[in-house]
Amino acid sequence: MTTTAKPGVLPACPHFSSGPTAKRPGFSLEKLETAVLGRSHRSGDAKKKLKAAIDRSKALLGIPDDYRVAIVPASDTGAVEMCMWSMLGAKPVDVFAWESFGQDWVTDATKQLKLPDCKTYGADYGALPDFTQARDDADIIFTWNGTTSGVRVPNADWIKPNPDRVVICDATSAAFAQDIEWAKLDVVTYSWQKCLGGEAAHGMLVLSPRAVARLESYTPDRALPKLFRMTKGGKLDEALFEGATINTPSMLCVEDFLQALDWCESLGGWKALEARSNESLGYLTDWVAKTDWVDFLCPDASVRSNTGVTFKIVDPRVAGLDEDGQRDFVKRMMKRLEKENACFDAAGYAKAPPGLRIWCGGSVEPSNVAALTPWLDWAFAEEAASL
């Protein structure tokens, strides 16, 4: 029986979680001493920090000048849901889902909001739905990059122009890593804990002029919690987009986010982070090509994510196990890797097919991804020997 030697070089950082993700290189808690702590988030100093987070995000991502950006509660999830609850019902709705969080938006639309003219389009993990089914007159909800499936949309060509509808895009694991076509989208949401390695619980909300028009012209026949309200007296609450958050943000997290933006800017902006993600994906692609026990969950390289990269174990000794057996095998691999400080939190998402998920967002050094692959081979061989 062939044995696999334990690798001699560990990844310098073993953090491959898909959220919260690895902190940026050079991060330290000491650098956060400049945070506005012990002050009201309504104070002048705190609002300057919040406004800087908004303005610099807009500039670094190339968001159009006439789009508005706000910091909102409850991470990306809160940002998506506040817009669904506030905007949907005026038009028919098409929801496209091919992974866990997209399915959450399907549940919201069909079982919670119970939208009367709502069509849903799905696909299995690792594939995309048929976007040509999108109706020209319907509002649209979709995920740009499937965080739990490892599949992303190649472009927004399928979205036909219609000034009377809104297109809601969950871009939480795409922002700062993929080329988002802002002009085709009316609501874009993301969170700090993905591609910038920020902390959780804060969401970013981007609204187009069409989205603002919908908020000001449509009043849904449903109760809206305070955290979802973006208008006052029928007009957009402009203060939200100037740093006056709906609820109290963590100024420590804000400072961390601002420094992550500093780091992104120092590298050359989001394109530089995309290049880092692509380099990491390249290492994994080369590894899969020469490895017989593993394959990508997404078979189509043209729509394969460069951030949350997902894998299935194809070795027949594992693939022949039932689902529980496969999940248990992955858990044993992860425990072995954690014990060696080689890799943390790289099991596939709980609702996804059993397998691995390696985060390759820009805060992960590509060299650490390259160093990880021999450890994955070793952990697999060690566990497979007992089957």
Side-chain angles (χ1 to χ4, degrees):
M1 179 171 53
T2 302
T3 59
T4 300
K6 182 185 291 188
V9 178
L10 286 164
C13 176
H15 298 163
F16 297 99
S17 162
S18 292
T21 61
K23 303 302 289 184
R24 62 195 172 277
F27 165 83
S28 71
L29 290 172
E30 289 76 14
K31 292 181 180 180
L32 301 182
E33 291 178 349
T34 52
V36 180
L37 301 180
R39 296 287 308 279
S40 167
H41 62 297
R42 307 294 187 196
S43 69
D45 289 343
K47 287 186 71 173
K48 285 179 183 178
K49 296 272 190 181
L50 292 162
K51 185 65 162 57
I54 290 170
D55 291 345
R56 295 185 61 205
S57 297
K58 190 172 182 178
L60 278 169
L61 286 171
I63 297 171
D65 289 342
D66 58 350
Y67 281 47
R68 290 170 171 87
V69 179
I71 299 169
V72 299
S75 194
D76 174 74
T77 302
V80 173
E81 292 193 325
M82 67 191 299
C83 291
M84 290 183 66
W85 258 251
S86 298
M87 296 183 187
L88 298 183
K91 303 278 291 182
V93 178
D94 288 339
V95 189
F96 293 86
W98 60 94
E99 51 95 44
S100 181
F101 291 102
Q103 288 297 331
D104 286 341
W105 314 143
V106 168
T107 297
D108 283 356
T110 60
K111 296 183 179 180
Q112 302 301 321
L113 293 172
K114 299 180 180 178
L115 299 170
D117 188 0
C118 179
K119 293 187 177 181
T120 63
Y121 311 90
D124 291 335
Y125 282 85
L128 286 173
D130 181 4
F131 291 113
T132 65
Q133 297 184 76
R135 294 174 286 177
D136 291 345
D137 64 338
D139 291 339
I140 294 173
I141 306 170
F142 77 104
T143 308
W144 193 276
N145 182 88
T147 307
T148 64
S149 68
V151 184
R152 60 175 167 177
V153 297
N155 53 58
D157 293 350
W158 54 279
I159 301 174
K160 307 305 180 186
N162 183 340
D164 294 326
R165 74 169 172 202
V166 295
V167 178
I168 299 175
C169 175
D170 173 356
T172 193
S173 56
F176 290 96
Q178 297 167 15
D179 191 4
I180 297 170
E181 297 178 47
W182 301 99
K184 291 286 189 78
L185 311 174
D186 301 301
V187 174
V188 181
T189 66
Y190 64 95
S191 56
W192 299 349
Q193 77 258 31
K194 294 297 183 182
C195 292
L196 286 179
E199 294 304 304
H202 300 78
M204 297 298 285
L205 172 64
V206 182
L207 299 182
S208 75
R210 287 187 298 271
V212 174
R214 172 67 64 84
L215 285 169
E216 294 183 339
S217 64
Y218 173 64
T219 302
D221 185 21
R222 64 180 73 97
L224 288 181
K226 177 183 177 181
L227 295 182
F228 289 0
R229 298 174 202 157
M230 291 177 278
T231 60
K232 285 185 177 180
K235 294 294 183 181
L236 188 73
D237 184 358
E238 296 285 0
L240 297 179
F241 304 89
E242 298 294 326
T245 55
I246 295 175
N247 72 333
T248 306
S250 163
M251 296 309 299
L252 192 65
C253 292
V254 170
E255 191 69 18
D256 182 49
F257 179 57
L258 287 170
Q259 292 185 19
L261 294 175
D262 288 341
W263 170 73
C264 174
E265 190 172 27
S266 73
L267 295 178
W270 75 265
K271 280 284 189 181
L273 299 192
E274 179 187 40
R276 288 166 64 88
S277 292
N278 290 343
E279 183 180 352
S280 293
L281 176 60
Y283 285 127
L284 293 174
T285 300
D286 292 344
W287 171 63
V288 168
K290 63 183 181 182
T291 305
D292 60 4
W293 64 267
V294 70
D295 201 356
F296 289 106
L297 182 61
C298 173
D300 184 351
S302 69
V303 297
R304 191 175 294 152
S305 173
N306 65 342
T307 55
V309 188
T310 56
F311 304 91
K312 57 185 177 181
I313 297 177
V314 296
D315 184 284
R317 290 170 292 177
V318 179
L321 300 173
D322 61 18
E323 181 173 329
D324 288 343
Q326 292 181 54
R327 292 193 188 281
D328 185 64
F329 182 87
V330 172
K331 287 180 181 178
R332 295 200 306 272
M333 280 186 63
M334 288 299 103
K335 286 182 179 179
R336 189 177 289 274
L337 291 165
E338 288 175 12
K339 185 177 180 180
E340 300 290 338
N341 287 319
C343 177
F344 298 117
D345 309 321
Y349 190 71
K351 296 180 182 179
L356 305 173
R357 180 172 59 156
I358 310 299
W359 181 255
C360 293
S363 65
V364 172
E365 288 283 13
S367 59
N368 288 329
V369 176
L372 170 65
T373 56
W375 285 96
L376 294 175
D377 288 333
W378 170 78
F380 171 80
E382 290 292 305
E383 291 302 328
S386 64
L387 293 177

